Amino acid sequence: MDTLYTTLESGLRLVSPFMPFLTEELWQRFPRRPRDITSSITIAEYPIYELSFNDPRSEKAYELVLGCSKGMRSLIADYAVKDIGIYIAPLNQTSHDTTYIQLGAIKSLSSKIPLKINILKVGEINPTDCALFPVSADANVYLEVKHRVQDAAKEAKKVKAKLGEARREQADADAIMVELSKVQDKDITDTMQSAEKQQRDIEASVQALQDVLTMFEKMQA
């Protein structure tokens, strides 16, 4: 509860210079901590970056949990199913450990109905007859669709469109990396790391989509 309060209160102070009227209204309704007598957000101290709060490992885990949950919601909506089999395919051991530990949170964020979620081992063969949501270079989400797909050719066409879009994103990411490699007089370490991560995520997405496309094409036979 204290973490939630700190997040909301700090968020209000962060955006107050840009949204003064809204944040002031919310500030006046916000409960104050004991001994906090700040009467207006306009005189509240602006948040200061706290290095000890920087936790890249937790941030990455949070992104993975949200990504898996988003993928499940997307697949469930696309195929309008309830009695479903869902698989999370971690692409490294850290992702496997994270999804295993955070499985309860993933379920809660994914659906109101009970989900049977299977977490595959790293390197385990991906399930067949499944639709795919590529999360990142860390994991993919699969949904069993064998008995729900009436037209495999139609599904293959949908995957081809996604694959084409992913390849265009891949070309754009490669072009960005080329341009960044030309920069010499500035420190672009953070920018380069972000671009490299995006490139890895897209490459993983392209590979996963290609595998699913091959599966749907075989289903047409």
Side-chain angles (χ1 to χ4, degrees), residues 2-163:
D2 187 61
T3 300
L4 177 60
Y5 182 94
T6 300
T7 301
L8 294 174
E9 194 252 7
S10 299
L12 285 177
R13 289 187 285 137
L14 276 171
V15 300
S16 62
F18 313 101
M19 305 175 67
F21 298 108
L22 177 60
T23 52
E24 180 65 31
E25 178 67 24
L26 294 174
W27 182 268
Q28 295 302 328
R29 299 174 182 229
F30 211 60
R32 305 258 61 79
R33 281 194 171 108
R35 296 184 296 278
D36 182 355
I37 58 174
T38 309
S39 60
S40 171
I41 199 169
T42 58
I43 59 175
E45 292 185 3
Y46 199 70
I48 298 175
Y49 176 69
E50 176 56 62
L51 182 60
S52 63
F53 290 169
N54 186 33
D55 188 351
R57 183 176 178 179
S58 293
E59 181 179 345
K60 187 174 182 179
Y62 176 77
E63 290 177 352
L64 179 61
V65 169
L66 287 187
C68 290
S69 302
K70 177 183 177 182
M72 292 179 193
R73 291 196 303 271
S74 177
L75 290 172
I76 292 170
D78 284 348
Y79 291 91
V81 293
K82 294 183 179 180
D83 53 329
I84 51 180
I86 291 183
Y87 301 86
I88 298 176
L91 301 179
N92 53 67
Q93 191 59 45
T94 299
S95 299
H96 178 277
D97 295 344
T98 299
T99 52
Y100 183 81
I101 293 171
Q102 298 294 334
L103 184 57
I106 294 172
K107 287 182 177 180
S108 298
L109 292 169
S110 300
S111 175
K112 295 180 180 179
I113 61 175
L115 298 178
K116 181 182 178 182
I117 300 176
N118 303 285
I119 301 177
L120 304 180
K121 296 179 181 179
V122 178
E124 186 174 348
I125 298 175
N126 292 329
T128 58
D129 303 323
C130 288
L132 162 80
F133 185 96
V135 176
S136 65
D138 294 317
N140 294 313
V141 173
Y142 294 87
L143 171 71
E144 291 179 356
V145 296
K146 181 177 181 180
H147 301 297
R148 301 181 178 91
V149 173
Q150 305 298 324
D151 188 344
K154 183 178 179 181
E155 293 299 321
K157 185 177 180 180
K158 287 165 57 177
V159 176
K160 279 183 180 179
K162 293 179 180 179
L163 181 58

